Amino acid sequence: MKLLTHNLLQCIVPACRKHHYPLKVTASLLNVEENPFDAIFASRMLERLEYNILLEAYNSLRQDGQPELPPAVPEDGASNEVFLQSLFFAINCLDVVEGAMTCSSCGRIYPIHNSIPNMIVRAIEGEQPPQSIEKEQEDEEEEESEN
Amino acid sequence: MTRCPIPEYVRPLPESVYPPSEDTFLFMDALEKERNHIQTLNPLFACEIGCGSGLIVSFFAKHIAPQSCFCFATDINDECLLTTKSTSKINKVCVDTICCDLLTPFLPRLYRSIDVILFNPPYVPTDEVELMNSQPFLGGTEGIASSWAGGRDGMEVTNRVLNDLDMYLSENGVAYVILLQANKPKTITQKLKARGFKLTVVLKRSSQLELLYLVKIVRLKPPHP
């Protein structure tokens, strides 16, 4: 799981739905993917990121020798090549292979295994099923004439 | 039109993963037809819901998406995501994979932000029991049935996505969806129109048992703020 994805995910427990973002990410195994630097990708993503959340997650996982992210986005962030390279590394190269994400509100742990976070809530755990499995009776008659 | 090659994948696929079939190939043919339109959109976020083998999202990432597009895929079956990881790796594309129900954990962060949605849903009409047995949040186990069991009119899972399109699609975003004649595409078109969306058929093809459609859904006008 990329930290870009982490930046987009939130707890799915219904009681937490209002604001249980971010999830705290931890890792026991990280991988670095050698993805070619894409400045446009990094600068476009910059507008969509919660930078402080990325920074906190990245700093908690960063290993020696890996690029540092500044405490705030530089004023020329969208065009600052050095910054964009670090940002690209943080959001799109570092991969959490084994680890977990934890909700600070309900304490629920979403495991990450083989780079795949598991965010399934099972009915057996007593959670509410999602809302809109809709039942619509009114379109019963239609569609006979279609082909 | 020069045909883009079908992505490679590791064989044999696990038993619980839907193997590439006629709908998969129809999907890829339609994406190729839509490539210019998709590139004009300059998408930043693209995702496949229910990625199965990962062939469609890998095809998209390799041949259709312009540079600078983040591709991710979700499925409720963990084995599908492992397979999608390996499919994307062999084809040298980046696809991040998340085991979740549709796109649930991405809201509200991706509210009206997804530029391209790819969805080959479980569209086979089944009874309630078959649907429930296939969906973990309803108490079932996510086997191969989750790739086809669609409940009433084969639309119960698809409707959950269509009902939430306004929350997911960016202003110029587009959703590509496979439908079956039995899903009652005319009714779907009317319902979407009432909600401010336009459905058009990109390709249709009759397979042995059914008439398959690949449709695209876009907004009729900019969303209300």
Side-chain angles (χ1 to χ4, degrees), chain A residues 5 7 48 140 143 146, chain B residues 96 109 113 152 186-187:
Chain A
T5 300
N7 207 263
R48 314 303 300 275
E140 214 49 69
E143 305 271 336
E146 284 195 32
Chain B
D96 221 15
R109 281 287 279 123
S113 296
R152 188 167 184 273
K186 268 189 190 158
T187 308

Side-chain angles (χ1 to χ4, degrees), chain A residues 17, chain B residues 47-49 72 74 100-107 114 117 168:
Chain A
R17 276 307 283 175
Chain B
C47 69
E48 180 171 15
I49 302 173
F72 64 97
T74 71
C100 65
D101 174 42
L102 307 177
L103 292 169
T104 311
F106 287 96
L107 282 178
I114 305 180
I117 291 176
Y168 293 129

Side-chain angles (χ1 to χ4, degrees), chain B residues 17-206:
Chain B
V17 177
Y18 184 69
S21 310
E22 284 174 280
D23 47 3
T24 321
F25 298 116
L26 177 69
F27 212 123
M28 291 188 283
D29 288 347
L31 285 178
E32 198 162 340
K33 198 174 163 194
E34 284 287 295
R35 179 163 49 185
N36 284 349
H37 173 67
I38 292 167
Q39 298 215 338
T40 317
L41 291 178
N42 198 13
L44 188 58
F45 290 106
C47 69
E48 180 171 15
I49 302 173
C51 54
S53 64
L55 218 61
I56 291 170
V57 70
S58 298
F59 181 87
F60 179 85
K62 196 172 176 75
H63 300 298
I64 309 297
Q67 264 207 323
S68 311
C69 177
F70 179 61
C71 298
F72 64 97
T74 71
D75 206 295
I76 55 172
N77 177 354
D78 195 49
E79 281 197 279
C80 290
L81 299 160
L82 280 171
T83 306
T84 295
K85 273 265 167 231
S86 76
T87 304
S88 63
K89 268 186 193 145
I90 324 176
N91 292 285
K92 299 189 170 59
V93 291
C94 271
V95 177
D96 221 15
T97 53
I98 302 92
C99 187
C100 65
D101 174 42
L102 307 177
L103 292 169
T104 311
F106 287 96
L107 282 178
R109 281 287 279 123
L110 285 184
Y111 182 75
R112 289 179 176 169
S113 296
I114 305 180
D115 302 300
V116 181
I117 291 176
L118 312 170
F119 189 29
N120 185 0
Y123 51 60
V124 178
T126 63
D127 60 30
E128 214 55 15
V129 176
E130 271 180 299
L131 175 70
M132 286 181 70
N133 286 343
S134 74
Q135 298 281 334
F137 56 78
L138 299 175
T141 48
E142 69 282 14
I144 185 79
S146 67
S147 73
W148 52 264
R152 188 167 184 273
D153 291 337
M155 281 301 288
E156 296 205 24
V157 181
T158 311
N159 276 337
R160 292 183 50 225
V161 172
L162 299 186
N163 291 346
D164 286 347
L165 267 190
D166 181 51
M167 292 200 286
Y168 293 129
L169 277 189
S170 63
E171 181 168 348
N172 297 309
V174 54
Y176 294 98
V177 184
I178 293 268
L179 294 176
L180 211 64
Q181 186 60 37
N183 300 148
K184 306 181 176 173
K186 268 189 190 158
T187 308
I188 299 167
T189 307
Q190 284 160 8
K191 274 199 266 178
L192 282 169
K193 193 176 171 191
R195 289 204 207 108
F197 291 93
K198 185 176 78 175
L199 180 152
T200 46
V201 175
V202 177
L203 277 182
K204 65 176 171 180
R205 189 173 291 167
S206 41

Side-chain angles (χ1 to χ4, degrees), chain A residues 102-116:
Chain A
T102 308
C103 175
S104 61
S105 168
C106 69
R108 189 186 182 87
I109 297 170
Y110 299 99
I112 303 168
H113 185 46
N114 293 313
S115 302
I116 302 163

